[in-house]
Amino acid sequence: MTGVTDHGGGVWSIPVPIPDNPLGHTLVHLLDTDRGPVLVDTGWDDPTAWDTLATGLAACGTSVAEVHGVLVTHHHPDHHGLSARVREASGAWIAMHAADAEVVRRSREAEPTRWLDYLAGKLAAAGAPEEHLAPLRAARAAGRADALPGTRAAQPDRHIAPGELLDLAGRRLRAIWTPGHTPGHVCLHLEEAHPAAGEGLPGHGRLFSGDHLLPGISPHIGLYEDPDDATVTDPLGDYLDSLERVAALDPAEVLPAHQHAFTDAPRRVRELLRHHEERLAGLRGLLLAAPLTPWQLAEAMEWNRPWADIPYGSRNIAVSEAEAHLRRLVKLGRAEPVPGTDPVAYQAR
């Protein structure tokens, strides 16, 4: 049992497992073209994931060796991880938005301990306690940064340009730039009529949505990390704007990278916009009670489990998400830093 789903019209999905992750799997999509199969994402770089991908492709009537190209929605390891192995086995090209290709380049070329130094400094500035910083400093002293995922990710051969109709023989697939989850996240709009259009399914084509639009969860929105760039970004603002662009496409069906396919993208977009507005209002309420550092705000935010039960690495992600929400509140004029605080605390306006 491979779990492969035939979505019709030369489109399949293959659930590729993510090790030790509550999401369970990445839905790798296969798109048949006149030059051979093209993958949308590849899954985590793991032996079980590789075997599952190969078995799934066989169930679709093809093989890794026949893959013509790989379209990567974004650089995260559960999406881009196996791209290098696919290219080695098949000679396939790999395409990604330039902004995420730059993240891959930085990760590959950085000195082994650079990211650990950067992360420790960022967390200290966010108000992380010493007991949280100590393991990072120990890993840095031991030179263990090479164990971080993404440091050996494949450099893409091609860039995906926003609005581009991709060069896929016999298919009409257009790139939609949707920054937020990552700076170079893209959705891919298959503009051809949906196979069920004749049965009265409303909407326009199908959308490979990566992590941008998921049926039951909101993707992580944290800060875009670049040790060499001090530009103040607004990832949450980018994400909300990107949601509006996707809603305007009104696809008949959304094929996400996690959970399951779904319809009525505009309704899901409205739910997510409402969720983030409510969350911003709730966080401003916390800041009305007392000034908080990003770490303290993360501790007070609602997550899918109590803060005490959140694993070490996930706390780093949670703090980044708190900072992204603070950036948005500041940009909207609803919060401001408290002068003279170190680490910087924020208060409501």
Side-chain angles (χ1 to χ4, degrees):
M1 178 64 180
T2 63
V4 168
T5 299
D6 184 350
H7 296 278
V11 176
W12 294 262
S13 62
I14 305 167
V16 176
I18 311 171
D20 302 318
N21 190 293
L23 281 173
H25 58 261
T26 300
L27 289 172
V28 172
H29 289 94
L30 184 151
L31 177 66
D32 197 18
T33 80
D34 290 347
R35 296 194 190 106
V38 169
L39 298 182
V40 178
D41 295 331
T42 57
W44 193 281
D45 186 4
D46 173 79
T48 300
W50 174 254
D51 291 344
T52 303
L53 178 62
T55 301
L57 288 171
C60 297
T62 185
S63 68
V64 175
E66 295 179 75
V67 173
H68 173 61
V70 175
L71 295 164
V72 182
T73 60
H74 61 295
H75 70 84
H76 287 164
D78 57 322
H79 296 257
H80 183 40
L82 284 172
S83 299
R85 290 197 65 179
V86 171
R87 181 165 62 188
E88 290 167 6
S90 65
W93 47 261
I94 301 172
M96 179 187 291
H97 187 281
D100 272 22
E102 176 62 16
V103 175
V104 171
R105 184 196 65 78
R106 288 199 312 266
S107 300
R108 288 172 58 94
E109 296 178 4
E111 289 298 319
T113 54
R114 180 72 187 280
W115 286 102
L116 287 174
D117 287 339
Y118 174 70
L119 183 57
K122 255 185 106 299
L123 287 166
E130 181 56 37
E131 59 265 27
H132 188 84
L133 300 173
L136 286 173
R137 291 174 177 152
R140 195 258 186 255
R144 296 203 305 269
D146 283 345
L148 293 171
T151 55
R152 294 179 298 276
Q155 190 71 46
D157 313 288
R158 305 180 181 185
H159 288 166
I160 297 174
E164 173 187 17
L165 190 63
L166 300 172
D167 181 21
L168 300 180
R171 310 308 301 239
R172 286 190 60 84
L173 189 69
R174 191 174 301 278
I176 312 298
W177 183 36
T178 51
H181 184 55
T182 71
H185 191 291
V186 292
C187 293
L188 301 162
H189 188 204
L190 190 61
E191 296 179 337
E192 305 153 19
H194 192 285
E199 302 169 16
L201 181 68
H204 309 285
R206 291 181 275 186
L207 185 75
F208 299 103
S209 66
D211 281 2
H212 181 67
L213 192 62
L214 302 169
I217 55 178
S218 176
H220 164 67
I221 308 296
L223 298 187
Y224 301 151
E225 309 289 8
D226 183 352
D228 300 316
D229 189 350
T231 304
V232 178
T233 58
D234 179 19
L236 182 53
D238 293 342
Y239 177 67
L240 299 176
D241 290 345
S242 299
L243 282 176
E244 300 275 15
R245 285 201 295 279
V246 165
L249 294 174
D250 192 22
E253 186 177 30
V254 179
L255 302 173
H258 302 289
Q259 299 189 299
H260 53 81
F262 63 101
T263 58
D264 201 350
R267 177 194 58 78
R268 181 61 182 144
V269 166
R270 290 193 298 272
E271 290 175 352
L272 287 165
L273 292 173
R274 184 167 58 251
H275 162 77
H276 283 287
E277 187 55 44
E278 290 172 353
R279 194 166 209 198
L280 287 169
L283 298 186
R284 183 175 180 274
L286 293 172
L287 299 179
L288 279 169
L292 297 172
T293 66
W295 182 275
Q296 291 168 330
L297 185 63
E299 287 181 310
M301 290 169 70
E302 289 190 14
W303 304 103
N304 59 1
R305 68 192 99 174
W307 182 258
D309 296 338
I310 295 178
Y312 181 92
S314 297
R315 290 189 181 193
N316 297 337
I317 295 171
V319 172
S320 181
E321 185 145 334
E323 290 185 291
H325 282 74
L326 281 169
R327 289 262 182 102
R328 188 66 185 156
L329 285 170
V330 169
K331 186 167 184 177
L332 294 171
R334 300 180 191 174
E336 62 186 358
V338 179
T341 52
D342 184 19
V344 178
Y346 292 81
Q347 62 189 2
R349 288 188 61 183

